Amino acid sequence: GYLDQVEGKFHLFSPPEIRDWSVSAIRVMDQVMWLGLASRGEWGDTGGGFLRVDLKTMQVRKYDATGLVNEFAGYDGRLYVATSSGVGVVLADGSMEHVFIDSTADHTFQLSLATQ
């Protein structure tokens, strides 16, 4: 939910896409909310991808992700999605790339595109 400071009221927010899930990570950037989806089970947690919610229109888009979403970070017009199985990058056009962290010969690190 959220507190509308103008109205002074608390509003509950529950799109149908989230009702069967727990939330593992939340990030609000401008007028967009990102929600990591998780199923919390007796034998461990299972990832369910993540949602992009436009807070102006309340339109929801679901993205698939490998692993459990742990964190979102915005940088340079992209959204980086840290999961238990690697990193996903949502580009400005809404498309998504899966990347992994690669060690170079000089012992530095770089993000590399995951091949299918």
Side-chain angles (χ1 to χ4, degrees):
Y2 66 94
L3 176 64
D4 185 321
Q5 294 180 347
V6 174
E7 294 180 9
K9 294 181 181 178
F10 188 76
H11 298 273
L12 290 177
F13 170 73
S14 182
E17 295 86 354
I18 199 172
R19 292 191 181 138
D20 292 332
W21 298 95
S22 294
V23 174
S24 59
I26 300 173
R27 175 78 181 212
V28 177
M29 297 169 49
D30 298 318
Q31 290 295 312
V32 174
M33 182 186 310
W34 298 92
L35 301 167
L37 303 177
S39 175
R40 307 288 188 185
E42 183 176 344
W43 299 103
D45 300 336
T46 303
F50 60 98
L51 301 178
R52 178 194 187 277
V53 182
D54 184 312
L55 296 174
K56 288 183 181 178
T57 65
M58 301 311 279
Q59 188 174 12
V60 177
R61 177 175 177 183
K62 185 172 188 300
Y63 287 85
D64 292 324
T66 57
L68 181 68
V69 175
N70 297 309
E71 187 71 46
F72 297 108
Y75 179 74
D76 199 25
R78 297 177 179 164
L79 178 77
Y80 292 85
V81 184
T83 76
S84 58
S85 299
V87 178
V89 181
V90 179
L91 305 176
D93 67 1
S95 65
M96 185 170 167
E97 295 179 345
H98 295 278
V99 297
F100 62 95
I101 299 173
D102 196 12
S103 178
T104 63
D106 64 354
H107 303 288
T108 60
F109 299 97
Q110 68 182 20
L111 290 179
S112 300
L113 288 175
T115 57
Q116 298 291 333

